[in-house]
């Protein structure tokens, strides 16, 4: 073999009519292997393998490695590695295929990435798809399938895990354990968790017109529901069936000007006889929103005794993850 100053290589001592050996064309393309790209006229291609790009004519800037791969290659900027892979890349381009028997149905799709034995994209013209794993496949634009046998059937959908499948646009399936999909009629997304045990770090927030956060109190080990206004209620872990609180807690409002620091556990409050609503207004009351106004008891044997206050309002419960405090309410 001799190489000219122009960069072309010529066979010496080989029968080129049989398609054997190494050759380059005037378009700076390289072919290595029996019958490798015998008809190609594209520029700056690199072909390596038995009968690689056998029926290909056009297409440039391609790298194909593997016997009988890209037999009908006619697009550009492709990288194909593996026996009998991407055999019909006649359109699209910018596709990467790694694995034996991969990408058998890619025809005119572009910008696809396939890694693994026999993975594929369907319909022939799928674009921007990613399939990683043996026998994984993508059937719509922008789909991603990761895992042996994973199938992303919906556009922009994601299937992760062996055998995971998606069918609708934007759907997510992680190992058939975490699923996110959009209902066709309401156009709203649903999250499904199929887990033996679900653990959440920090607070779980529910944003909206009235935001709430849910978290575990480290000190009391209670489950706390906290509103955006700092009002909380809790479920305790010390509940015993058959043992109930007699009085429980009753919502009331502290009289204006009263010292809140004085209302500590063990103190006694008395009713003033006045009522107000949740906003402190005394003019517009109804049966569902009438809070008694109380103040600290300062007289012995006062017949107006109402009850004993809970922990002071400034003593807030401690979240399970101090570094992840409940999020602030949206403005």
């Amino acid at each position: 073999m001799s190489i000219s100053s122009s960069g072309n290589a010529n066979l010496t001592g080989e029968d080129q009519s049989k398609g054997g050996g190494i050759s380059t064309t005037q378009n700076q393309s390289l072919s290595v292997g029996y019958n490798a790209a015998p008809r190609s006229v594209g520029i700056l291609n690199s072909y390596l393998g038995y009968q690689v790009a056998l029926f290909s004519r056009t297409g440039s800037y391609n790298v194909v490695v593997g016997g009988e791969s890209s037999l009908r290659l006619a697009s550009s900027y492709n990288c194909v590695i593996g026996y009998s892979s991407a055999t019909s890349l006649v359109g699209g381009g910018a596709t990467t295929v790694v694995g034996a028997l991969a990408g058998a149905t890619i025809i005119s799709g572009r910008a696809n990435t396939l890694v693994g034995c026999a993975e594929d994209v369907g319909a022939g013209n799928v674009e921007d798809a990613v399939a990683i794993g043996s026998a994984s496949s993508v059937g719509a634009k922008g789909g991603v399938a990761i895992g042996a046998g994973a199938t992303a059937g919906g556009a922009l959908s994601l299937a992760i895990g062996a055998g995971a499948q998606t069918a609708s646009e934007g759907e997510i399936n992680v190992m058939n354990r975490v699923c996110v999909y959009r209902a066709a009629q309401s156009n709203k997304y649903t999250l499904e968790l199929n887990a033996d045990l679900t653990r959440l770090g920090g607070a779980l927030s529910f944003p909206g017109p009235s935001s709430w956060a849910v978290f575990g109190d480290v000190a009391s080990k209670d489950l706390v529901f906290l509103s955006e206004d700092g009002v909380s209620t809790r479920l305790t872990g010390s509940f015993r069936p058959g043992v109930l609180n007699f009085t429980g807690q009753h919502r009331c409002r502290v009289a204006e000007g009263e010292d809140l620091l004085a209302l500590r556990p063990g103190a006694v409050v008395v009713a003033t006889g006045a009522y107000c609503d949740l906003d402190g207004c005394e003019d517009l009351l109804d049966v569902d929103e009438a809070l008694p106004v109380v103040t600290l008891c300062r007289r012995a044997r006062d017949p107006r005794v109402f009850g004993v206050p809970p922990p002071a309002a400034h003593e807030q419960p401690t979240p399970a993850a101090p570094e992840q405090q409940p999020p602030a309410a949206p403005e």
Side-chain angles (χ1 to χ4, degrees), residues 15 33 39 46 53 55 72 90 132 149 155 164 169 199 231 239 248 258 284 292 296 316:
D15 185 354
R39 300 172 177 82
S46 297
F55 306 110
R72 296 171 181 83
V90 297
I132 300 176
E169 180 179 353
R199 296 182 181 273
V231 179
F239 173 77
E258 182 60 87
L284 301 175
L296 185 66
Q316 296 295 333

Side-chain angles (χ1 to χ4, degrees), residues 53-331:
L54 179 62
F55 306 110
S56 302
R57 291 189 58 83
T58 59
S60 302
Y61 311 102
N62 296 299
V63 176
V64 181
V65 180
E68 299 183 347
S69 292
S70 301
L71 295 177
R72 296 171 181 83
L73 180 62
S75 57
S76 300
Y77 302 101
N78 300 291
C79 179
V80 179
I81 301 176
Y83 171 77
S84 194
S85 295
T87 54
S88 300
L89 275 172
V90 297
T95 287
T96 300
V97 178
V98 179
L101 305 174
T105 63
I106 300 179
I107 298 176
S108 58
R110 63 177 302 277
N112 295 296
T113 302
L114 293 83
V115 180
C117 177
E119 74 285 330
D120 208 351
V121 296
N125 58 353
V126 174
E127 299 181 348
D128 305 316
V130 177
I132 300 176
S134 175
S136 59
S137 64
V138 178
K141 181 177 180 179
V144 177
I146 302 175
T151 301
L156 303 174
S157 64
L158 172 63
I160 300 178
Q165 296 184 359
T166 60
S168 59
E169 180 179 353
E171 182 178 351
I172 299 174
N173 184 336
V174 180
M175 300 179 65
N176 294 317
R177 291 284 189 168
V178 180
C179 299
V180 178
Y181 58 89
R182 184 173 60 182
Q185 296 180 347
S186 65
N187 206 33
K188 295 182 178 180
Y189 281 91
T190 298
L191 169 63
E192 290 186 358
L193 297 177
N194 180 19
D196 301 316
L197 180 64
T198 302
R199 296 182 181 273
L200 298 176
L204 178 62
S205 176
F206 298 92
S210 180
S211 298
W212 284 82
V214 181
F215 58 91
D217 185 349
V218 174
S220 65
K221 299 183 180 179
D222 295 343
L223 178 61
V224 180
F225 296 80
L226 182 66
S227 76
E228 61 179 321
D229 297 324
V231 179
S232 65
T233 187
R234 61 182 60 220
L235 300 177
T236 67
S238 60
F239 173 77
R240 290 180 295 170
V243 180
L244 302 176
N245 294 330
F246 176 69
T247 57
Q249 293 185 358
H250 300 277
R251 180 174 289 185
C252 57
R253 191 174 186 89
V254 179
E256 185 176 355
E258 182 60 87
D259 183 8
L260 292 178
L261 295 178
L263 300 179
R264 296 190 176 277
V268 178
V269 296
V270 296
T272 64
Y275 291 86
C276 66
D277 61 14
L278 291 173
D279 297 322
C281 179
E282 300 181 2
D283 299 328
L284 301 175
L285 299 179
D286 58 49
V287 68
D288 292 324
E289 191 179 347
L291 306 181
V293 179
V294 299
T295 186
L296 185 66
C297 179
R298 294 181 172 85
R299 187 175 65 188
R301 298 182 181 181
D302 193 328
R304 302 173 301 162
V305 168
F306 186 80
V308 178
H314 64 276
E315 295 178 1
Q316 296 295 333
T318 305
E323 70 281 4
Q324 298 182 12
Q325 294 294 331
E331 297 182 357

